[in-house]
Amino acid sequence: MSWKRRVKIGLGIVLAVLVAVGLWFARPMGLEEICPGLELAECRGIEIRYRTAERRGPYFDDTQAVLSPGEPEFDEVIGLLAEKKFSRSPFWWFPSGGKSHRWEDEDFFWYMHLLFEDVTLPDGSTGSGHMLQVNNFFGELTLRGYDGETYPVRTSGQKEWVREVLEIFLDIPLEIDSK
């Protein structure tokens, strides 16, 4: 067998392995599979922050709230997170740089931080606090786990799903500061 043929076969094998690893990494998984040790049923709170097209510009702050177990909105959000499967991008290690977006009608973004207490992690250590972050940046989803890695993700029906989460946030009664 000639050396050119060996090189072609070797490159073909390397390419096949890279494709297989990429497909395995990008397989749809639940949040509890992506972040081993976290059980959504053990979540102690969800900090949310969002902004819609109606409330944008330099004079509007993001709307913020904290959801606690037992509140209907908390249960709805946990239910939506538990039923979804997310596919991580196999290209997560490419630097994403800064992002910007020109506001249009119907635009929105939201962030949520899931709070946990005394979670036993796969390495045997214990963690508490912001253990999982789910971000929607104008339709682009990212997950940031307790390991510090941020993964671009996608899910089936993503456009409708991020809107459904926003609708829950919009239903939360907000306290008005009357100074």
Side-chain angles (χ1 to χ4, degrees), residues 13-35:
I13 291 171
V14 167
L15 181 60
V17 167
L18 289 174
V19 168
V21 168
L23 290 173
W24 176 83
F25 187 80
R27 72 195 184 284
M29 297 188 308
L31 291 178
E32 293 175 353
E33 294 173 277
I34 294 173
C35 297

Side-chain angles (χ1 to χ4, degrees), residues 92-104:
W92 66 271
W93 45 272
F94 283 131
S96 62
K99 292 183 179 182
S100 63
H101 178 85
R102 183 180 175 141
W103 280 92
E104 297 178 13

Side-chain angles (χ1 to χ4, degrees), residues 10-138:
L11 289 175
I13 291 171
V14 167
L15 181 60
V17 167
L18 289 174
V19 168
V21 168
L23 290 173
W24 176 83
F25 187 80
R27 72 195 184 284
M29 297 188 308
L31 291 178
E32 293 175 353
E33 294 173 277
I34 294 173
C35 297
L38 294 185
E39 295 180 26
L40 292 174
E42 300 299 318
C43 182
R44 298 290 175 238
I46 305 172
E47 293 180 2
I48 64 165
R49 177 181 293 228
Y50 67 90
R51 188 180 298 182
T52 62
E54 295 80 35
R55 289 185 43 95
R56 67 176 192 266
Y59 304 108
F60 290 107
D61 292 329
D62 297 344
T63 302
Q64 301 178 51
V66 178
L67 305 177
S68 300
E71 295 176 354
E73 295 86 2
F74 177 91
D75 296 335
E76 287 181 74
V77 171
I78 291 294
L80 287 176
L81 291 171
E83 71 185 20
K84 268 302 178 189
K85 299 282 187 186
F86 298 90
S87 298
R88 298 174 293 177
S89 170
F91 304 108
W92 66 271
W93 45 272
F94 283 131
S96 62
K99 292 183 179 182
S100 63
H101 178 85
R102 183 180 175 141
W103 280 92
E104 297 178 13
D105 293 340
E106 304 295 319
D107 274 350
F108 61 92
F109 65 80
W110 51 254
Y111 306 104
M112 65 174 111
H113 299 264
L114 281 72
L115 307 169
F116 293 85
E117 291 180 14
D118 301 324
V119 174
T120 302
L121 303 175
D123 66 0
S125 64
T126 303
S128 293
H130 296 102
M131 301 295 288
L132 178 63
Q133 181 178 338
V134 183
N135 299 327
N136 164 51
F137 184 77
F138 302 99

